Amino acid sequence: MDDALQHGAKVLNPHGGEIHGSFFYPAIVSPVRSKMRLYYEEQFGPVIPIVPFEQDDEAIRYVVDSPFGQQLSLFGKDSKRIARLIDACANQVGR
C-alpha cells in the first residue's frame, strides 16, 4: 500500500490503512495504476485497490492475464455493457 501511495494513489476511507497493534483498518485505495505493486501483487489484507479504465478490454485483459485467482465486482447502469463484462469474466469468481 505504501508503494501505491508514493506513486500517487490515495486512501479513500477514514482510518484506512492505519495500524493499531495487530489490527489493520481496511483501506480503499485509488487510483491504482500498473506502475504500482498493488496493481499486480496479490494482497493478503483488507485492501481494496480501485483501478480505473477507459476501455472494457483493459479490465478484461487485466483479469485474464493475472497469475492469481481473481474476485471481481461489476457495477453499472448499462445492462448490455455489464452483460458483456460478465460473459468475459465468467471463468473468474465474480459478484
Side-chain angles (χ1 to χ4, degrees):
M1 198 172 91
D2 290 339
D3 175 73
L5 298 177
Q6 289 173 2
H7 284 94
K10 301 208 178 318
V11 175
L12 302 182
N13 58 315
H15 304 290
E18 290 181 12
I19 299 171
H20 295 282
S22 63
F23 183 79
F24 180 92
Y25 280 94
I28 301 170
V29 182
S30 181
V32 173
R33 308 268 184 220
S34 61
K35 66 183 173 185
M36 302 172 185
R37 292 173 55 191
L38 196 55
Y39 181 89
Y40 59 86
E41 288 185 1
E42 188 172 17
Q43 302 98 43
F44 291 98
V47 177
I48 300 171
I50 297 177
V51 179
F53 60 92
E54 296 286 326
Q55 302 293 321
D56 292 350
D57 286 346
E58 292 176 64
I60 293 166
R61 196 82 264 144
Y62 172 80
V63 173
V64 171
D65 289 345
S66 174
F68 306 111
Q70 297 289 322
Q71 286 202 34
L72 57 105
S73 298
L74 298 168
F75 302 92
K77 295 179 182 178
D78 182 340
S79 60
K80 290 182 182 180
R81 182 179 183 201
I82 294 294
R84 285 191 305 273
L85 289 168
I86 289 170
D87 288 346
C89 297
N91 292 324
Q92 307 301 320
V93 177
R95 303 279 183 261

